[in-house]
Amino acid sequence: MSNYHIKHLEEYYQVYRKSVNNPESFWEEIAEEHFLWRKKWNQVLKWDFDTPEITWFEGAKLNITENCIDRHLATRGDKTAIIFEPNNPDESAEHITYRQLYERVNKFANVLRDQGIKKGDRVCIYLPMIPELAISVLACARIGAIHSVVFAGFSANALATRINDSSCKIVITSDGSFRGAKTIDLKSIVDEALTDCPSVDSVLVAKRIQTDVNMKDGRDYWLQPLLDAASEEGKAEVMDAEDPLFILYTSGSTGKPKGMVHTTGGYMVYTAYTFKNVFQYREEDVYWCTADIGWITGHSYIVYGPLCNGATTVMFEGVPSYPDFGRFWEVVAKHNVNQFYTAPTAIRALAKEGVELVEKHDLSSLKVLGTVGEPINEEAWHWYDDNVGKRKAPIVDTWWQTETGGIMITPIAFATPTKPTYATLPFIGIQPALLDENGTEIQGNQVDGRLCIKFPWPSIARTIWGNHQRYKDTYFSAYKNMYFTGDGALRDEVGYYRITGRVDDVIIVSGHNLGTAPIEDTINEHPAVAESAIVGFPHDIKGNALYGYVTLKETGESRNHDNLRTEINQLITEQIGPIAKLDKIQFTDGLPKTRSGKIMRRILRKIASNDMSNLGDTSTLLNPEVVEAIMDNAL
Ligand code: PRX
């Protein structure tokens, strides 16, 4: 039996037992038999959740791009590695073979080398979903530079914060991006960000929307001429298994975004292994994950996991609604997609448009459907199952996080019987635990608690860039010897897990993590605002939307509330990005606070959710009278 490819439920249980009884020998065998190493490791695993310090395959040498590209050249040189599907359906799709990918990554790597980028340097990539994004990610990995991809929907301010946090030396961007019927001038956002980024020496600019942009002499270079002049051959840098591969920022409940650091060897092994099994990818399949490479889903399951398996992976530049809400299904039919992986928020938005747009397209190629990013509600699950998968394609509801690098709790397609809204069973090697508020592990089934992981897995983030203490405090201090996920979960009678949502002050809106504190800080910067509190409330399409309670410095009718609402959302768009805009803003004379001055978000959450029947105990409040007023004026 091959432990690399699991096909049945009994096999899953058997391999799972092996992986938790003897994790080191289990992962050693997987790593040894299915990947290309320049030198083997001295030790498979060292870990201490207290320090915390975790290493996998210590002492091993490799380059992840040799695993993603070079090793396929002999047998898959002419196979399509990446299908690029442009925003505009009238523009032809591009098929990039493994050999072409090899050449293009080498050229890009040589351009970076010529710019003076060396192993360990940080490279910020701020690009739309065009081939240069995947290629620049791989080019960084080829030369050992640490990529930090920033989603191209973030504002100049958010971009600058991320560039400065990890002192990036170079920014890779484009003149602009297409998004449905709109274009966005990315280069001018970069220019604005760079007024305050002293570490950046140069900017490489890809041409996409053919617009005039400002090019700063001695700093900005058009990418294409440099690529044209570069050699398509080049050696891959030999990396240590524990050398950082990338930094990816994720929101915390407080403070600035956390630069999660992923390293090379363990991340490669785990993302490749999960990809193969969760989606049951077979050699001739075409796989499509609709995420953006700016998020972890794109890193692990558009780029590294699929390419490591020699897969054909689709990169889609557009949006689900352009030119109409049938675009996803048109692309599935056009490229004969076999595995399709998207977010519940997209499913809900498409379901709202009716089944006619689905039925117009031939979806018979689909074998496996996936979802990720937030809990999927039962209605959306069934809509996906009935109309897209025609009840023949299993839905893999994959739970994981930026911090976990790869999928953690999930069905294995065709092996694990699915259950609507359940992420089902831990993946191979993953040891979940549910804890109560006192930190005691809850045994048995039909229970719920805080979701923790008891044992390291190969792709766990190793630190937060520049702030190991925060890494320790956020993930390893809540419960002793446990990685704390920040999520709540329940375990049903057969041991299936259902993720119930965040238990901290992170709110997931349309699958994007948003911390409340950074948004509140932004609102409080408005000169008229005294104080604010943000909570989530259920939203039909986004899963959650944001509700802001805002108190003003001067009360009364002196300011137009509608104007203020617009200004507040404008400020949020500038400082963070449009994804963090508030759906509702209620102006109030006060916020409910405990005697120690803490805002009682529990009450605000209930009011925002229109669930005011049982607000719980309000007697401990410093100012119980404001609750009445807030309820009376709730939006
Ligand atoms: O709350 C969980 C939710 O998304 C969080 C992680 O967000 P992020 O780091 O942006 O990564 C998203 C893509 C992996 C988790 O803590 N989440 C993710 N997947 C699911 C989910 N909630 C429920 N079900 C899921 N399948």
Side-chain angles (χ1 to χ4, degrees):
M1 183 185 80
S2 156
N3 288 333
Y4 192 71
H5 190 180
I6 298 154
K7 301 190 196 70
H8 313 288
L9 191 60
E10 310 81 75
E11 234 177 27
Y12 159 78
Y13 280 115
Q14 216 175 332
V15 178
Y16 181 78
R17 269 194 297 277
K18 211 160 149 181
S19 74
V20 298
N21 292 340
N22 291 299
E24 298 184 33
S25 61
F26 174 79
W27 288 112
E28 175 153 49
E29 187 192 310
I30 296 284
E32 196 152 5
E33 290 179 6
H34 300 279
F35 299 88
L36 193 68
W37 304 86
R38 294 286 192 99
K39 174 180 170 289
K40 291 281 153 67
W41 40 91
N42 305 322
Q43 191 170 345
V44 176
L45 169 66
K46 269 207 260 177
W47 69 291
D48 172 4
F49 273 178
D50 201 33
T51 327
E53 197 185 327
I54 303 147
T55 64
W56 282 90
F57 310 113
E58 196 196 35
K61 302 284 182 193
L62 75 155
N63 187 291
I64 195 169
T65 67
E66 291 185 332
N67 283 271
C68 288
I69 307 171
D70 303 41
R71 68 164 159 157
H72 304 312
L73 293 179
T75 52
R76 301 183 176 113
D78 295 325
K79 178 176 175 178
T80 300
I82 297 175
I83 299 176
F84 168 62
E85 172 66 25
N87 176 65
N88 181 346
D90 297 332
E91 188 182 330
S92 344
E94 190 180 340
H95 288 68
I96 303 170
T97 65
Y98 273 94
R99 176 155 310 281
Q100 290 165 335
L101 186 62
Y102 170 84
E103 292 166 1
R104 291 177 68 171
V105 168
N106 270 328
K107 276 176 171 282
F108 211 126
N110 289 330
V111 168
L112 290 174
R113 283 191 181 107
D114 287 347
Q115 292 290 323
I117 303 300
K118 297 181 302 297
K119 178 174 175 174
D121 287 344
R122 275 79 60 206
V123 174
C124 174
I125 302 175
Y126 186 71
L127 277 173
M129 281 286 283
I130 55 176
E132 285 79 0
L133 174 50
I135 291 166
S136 60
V137 159
L138 292 163
C140 288
R142 188 103 182 143
I143 66 169
I146 303 169
H147 55 78
S148 167
V149 183
V150 177
F151 172 61
F154 276 116
S155 69
N157 203 292
L159 174 63
T161 305
R162 287 159 176 77
I163 290 173
N164 288 333
D165 184 73
S166 47
S167 321
C168 294
K169 273 181 103 166
I170 186 166
V171 178
I172 302 167
T173 190
S174 64
D175 50 357
S177 66
F178 293 119
R179 239 186 122 61
K182 286 192 295 201
T183 55
I184 300 166
D185 293 333
L186 289 187
K187 177 62 167 60
S188 53
I189 299 176
V190 170
D191 288 341
E192 194 187 330
L194 292 188
T195 55
D196 195 20
C197 296
S199 61
V200 174
D201 298 327
S202 49
V203 180
L204 301 180
V205 188
K207 266 202 172 130
R208 179 57 184 144
I209 64 169
Q210 314 295 334
T211 181
D212 277 345
V213 299
N214 169 44
M215 296 292 277
K216 186 169 168 190
D217 238 14
R219 186 195 73 181
D220 301 350
Y221 304 90
W222 289 111
L223 180 62
Q224 198 54 49
L226 301 181
L227 288 172
D228 291 342
S231 162
E232 57 195 42
E233 292 298 331
K235 282 211 174 70
E237 189 76 30
V238 179
M239 305 299 287
D240 195 279
E242 280 299 333
D243 278 337
L245 175 64
F246 64 86
I247 301 168
L248 187 60
Y249 288 87
T250 187
S251 309
S253 48
T254 57
K256 59 180 184 178
K258 298 171 287 190
M260 304 313 305
V261 177
H262 282 285
T263 59
T264 309
Y267 175 83
M268 168 181 79
V269 169
Y270 194 77
T271 53
Y273 185 54
T274 44
F275 172 76
K276 174 79 184 164
N277 286 293
V278 171
F279 299 103
Q280 292 292 302
Y281 182 84
R282 305 289 175 113
E283 185 61 35
E284 299 307 321
D285 288 346
V286 174
Y287 160 90
W288 179 20
C289 165
T290 70
D292 191 290
I293 294 176
W295 310 113
I296 191 70
T297 307
H299 280 60
S300 302
Y301 299 110
I302 296 178
V303 181
Y304 289 114
L307 296 178
C308 228
N309 283 284
T312 299
T313 174
V314 176
M315 261 184 91
F316 176 47
E317 184 187 29
V319 293
S321 54
Y322 179 81
D324 64 36
F325 281 91
R327 184 70 192 277
F328 272 5
W329 321 125
E330 185 215 323
V331 175
V332 166
K334 176 174 173 189
H335 297 299
N336 289 310
V337 170
N338 302 109
Q339 290 89 4
F340 177 75
Y341 190 28
T342 195
T345 190
I347 299 168
R348 289 189 293 262
L350 296 175
K352 199 170 136 254
E353 301 300 318
V355 292
E356 304 73 39
L357 285 164
V358 190
E359 283 164 358
K360 249 172 74 180
H361 303 279
D362 175 9
L363 303 186
S364 58
S365 59
L366 287 174
K367 295 195 283 193
V368 177
L369 303 177
T371 93
V372 61
E374 57 187 311
I376 181 163
N377 50 310
E378 188 142 5
E379 204 184 336
W381 196 99
H382 283 297
W383 186 88
Y384 199 29
D385 188 37
D386 293 346
N387 300 299
V388 181
K390 323 282 184 208
R391 298 199 185 175
K392 287 194 295 247
I395 296 177
V396 290
D397 176 356
T398 63
W399 172 83
W400 58 296
Q401 309 177 295
T402 305
E403 296 85 337
T404 70
I407 296 170
M408 301 288 282
I409 300 183
T410 181
I412 289 178
F414 306 111
T416 318
T418 59
K419 177 174 175 180
T421 76
Y422 280 74
T424 76
L425 296 170
F427 188 73
I428 305 300
I430 303 305
Q431 303 187 36
L434 296 179
L435 271 72
D436 67 19
E437 287 192 13
N438 305 318
T440 311
E441 186 173 347
I442 307 166
Q443 304 291 344
N445 289 342
Q446 285 188 294
V447 291
D448 66 80
R450 284 154 190 243
L451 180 61
C452 294
I453 314 288
K454 288 197 250 192
F455 195 86
W457 60 98
S459 65
I460 183 174
R462 305 297 198 258
T463 190
I464 291 174
W465 184 265
N467 199 343
H468 198 66
Q469 186 63 41
R470 189 173 180 200
Y471 174 69
K472 177 177 172 152
D473 294 345
T474 311
Y475 305 106
F476 300 95
S477 301
Y479 306 108
K480 194 158 176 50
N481 271 328
M482 296 272 175
Y483 165 83
F484 175 47
T485 65
D487 283 324
L490 58 83
R491 192 161 54 215
D492 78 357
E493 60 289 352
V494 298
Y496 274 17
Y497 288 86
R498 177 186 185 180
I499 312 303
T500 47
R502 302 290 309 182
V503 294
D504 56 9
D505 287 331
V506 170
I507 305 171
I508 304 199
V509 178
S510 299
H512 302 310
N513 282 7
L514 298 172
T516 49
I519 303 175
E520 289 163 5
D521 292 346
T522 302
I523 299 171
N524 298 348
E525 279 177 28
H526 190 288
V529 171
E531 207 180 13
S532 61
I534 303 293
V535 297
F537 71 98
H539 185 281
D540 280 355
I541 292 181
K542 302 185 198 180
N544 295 296
L546 300 180
Y547 192 122
Y549 298 89
V550 176
T551 64
L552 298 176
K553 286 181 181 152
E554 286 172 41
T555 51
E557 294 306 305
S558 56
R559 303 266 325 223
N560 178 317
H561 280 180
D562 281 340
N563 288 351
L564 267 178
R565 287 190 178 98
T566 311
E567 285 167 25
I568 287 172
N569 270 331
Q570 231 160 9
L571 198 59
I572 293 173
T573 306
E574 278 160 25
Q575 301 278 333
I576 302 172
I579 51 179
K581 283 202 297 198
L582 309 184
D583 269 42
K584 293 184 181 177
I585 300 177
Q586 178 178 354
F587 295 100
T588 154
D589 289 344
L591 297 170
K593 291 195 182 158
T594 62
R595 288 181 201 281
S596 58
K598 237 181 126 209
I599 297 170
M600 282 280 257
R601 288 170 195 280
R602 181 176 53 78
I603 292 174
L604 295 176
R605 242 177 252 131
K606 287 205 155 209
I607 297 174
S609 309
N610 206 7
D611 171 20
M612 300 185 219
S613 53
N614 179 14
L615 289 185
D617 185 9
T618 53
S619 64
T620 56
L621 288 178
L622 189 66
N623 49 353
E625 71 288 350
V626 305
V627 175
E628 288 286 305
I630 292 178
M631 278 166 52
D632 287 346
N633 296 307
L635 301 172

